[in-house]
Amino acid sequence: MRRSSQGVDFRPTVLIGGLGVGFSLVEAVAEPRWGRIVVVEREQAVVDWHLRGPLAELTGPALADPRTEILHTDLVAYLRGPDHDDADRVAAPSSQPDADEHGFASRSEEPPAPTGVGEAIAASDSRTCDAGRRNAGQRYDALCLDIDNGPDWTVTEDNGGLYSPAGLAACRERLNPGGVLAIWSAQPSTAFEEALRNAGFTSVRTEEITVARGVPDVVHLAIRGA
C-alpha cells in the first residue's frame, strides 16, 4: 500500500480472468494490499460450483471477502467495454437438477452450505447485482488472465480474441498507467511477446512456472507505460 499524491492510501485493483478452481482468487484475497478483486467468469456452472457446489469449501472465505466481486460474463467482451458486454449476465446461484454421476449438481432439495459459505453466497449475490454496469470502463492496476491454453493453442475459438491485436489493445485500455498484464500459457511464444510490444506494452518478458509433470507453464508479463 502507498499514499497517493492527495495523501490518501492507495490500494490497487486486480481483475482475474477466469474463476476456474479458484486458486488465483484465494491467492489474491490472501494479499491485503489489494483494494478490489474482480473475477470474470462466463460459465454459470463454474460460478455455481463455488457458491453452492463442491468448490464452496475452498473459496467460501474468499467469496465472503468484501473486496471480492464475481462477474458472470465473457472476459473478451467485458474487456472491450459496454458496447460488447452483456452487462445483465451477473453471477447468481441457480436452481440445479438432481445430482449427476459426478456429484456436481444439487439434489432437488438443496443441501446446507458448508460453514461460512452461506454468508459468502449472500455477500457475493449482493455485490454482483448490476455489477457489470458498475464495472463498465473500470481500469485496473493488474490483469491476471487465464481463460485458455495460451495464444498458440486455444480450445475455444472465441478465446482467440484475447490474444489478437484488438484484444491486447482492450487489455491496455483497461489498465492504469504502470499497470501489469499477466497472461498464463501452456507454452512460451516469442510471437506473442512481439504482439505485446506492438500493442504498446513495455518490459515484456516470460516467466516459467515449474509444474509437477511435463514442460513448465509460462506467464507472459507486460506493463502499460505512462
Side-chain angles (χ1 to χ4, degrees):
M1 187 185 300
R2 67 177 187 270
R3 288 191 173 273
S4 68
S5 59
Q6 290 77 31
V8 178
D9 286 338
F10 170 76
R11 303 186 71 192
T13 59
V14 59
L15 171 69
I16 298 173
L19 177 56
V21 180
F23 292 144
S24 295
L25 171 60
V26 171
E27 288 292 325
V29 168
E31 174 51 69
R33 287 177 293 181
W34 292 121
R36 289 180 61 237
I37 302 165
V38 178
V39 184
V40 173
E41 173 57 56
R42 75 178 180 185
E43 300 297 337
Q44 184 65 53
V46 173
V47 175
D48 290 343
W49 291 348
H50 287 273
L51 292 178
R52 292 194 176 102
L55 297 175
E57 290 190 41
L58 171 67
T59 55
L63 291 172
D65 190 291
R67 298 171 296 166
T68 301
E69 294 181 38
I70 307 294
L71 305 185
H72 176 212
T73 190
D74 179 78
L75 175 66
V76 177
Y78 173 75
L79 290 171
R80 290 180 177 176
D83 291 340
H84 301 273
D85 186 29
D86 183 353
D88 292 328
R89 295 186 298 148
V90 297
S94 64
S95 58
Q96 307 251 355
D98 291 344
D100 61 15
E101 66 272 21
H102 303 293
F104 286 153
S106 301
R107 295 181 178 86
S108 55
E109 185 172 321
E110 191 172 283
T115 303
V117 176
E119 291 84 352
I121 293 171
S124 180
D125 286 351
S126 64
R127 290 196 299 276
T128 55
C129 179
D130 207 26
R133 289 193 177 92
R134 288 191 290 104
N135 284 275
Q138 169 73 42
R139 282 187 171 180
Y140 300 89
D141 298 292
L143 304 181
C144 299
L145 312 181
D146 175 10
I147 62 169
D148 214 304
N149 291 323
D152 298 330
W153 178 27
T154 56
V155 174
T156 303
E157 185 177 350
D158 291 348
N159 288 342
L162 173 64
Y163 313 104
S164 69
L168 294 179
C171 289
R172 189 177 184 279
E173 286 304 308
R174 284 290 191 158
L175 283 168
N176 288 318
V180 176
L181 173 64
I183 298 182
W184 179 89
S185 177
Q187 58 188 17
S189 172
T190 54
F192 186 61
E193 289 183 348
E194 187 63 24
L196 287 166
R197 295 185 183 94
N198 290 339
F201 288 97
T202 63
S203 303
V204 175
R205 60 189 175 93
T206 300
E207 282 201 6
E208 288 191 351
I209 309 298
T210 302
V211 295
R213 292 183 297 177
V215 298
D217 296 338
V218 302
V219 177
H220 295 285
L221 297 166
I223 295 176
R224 173 181 174 165

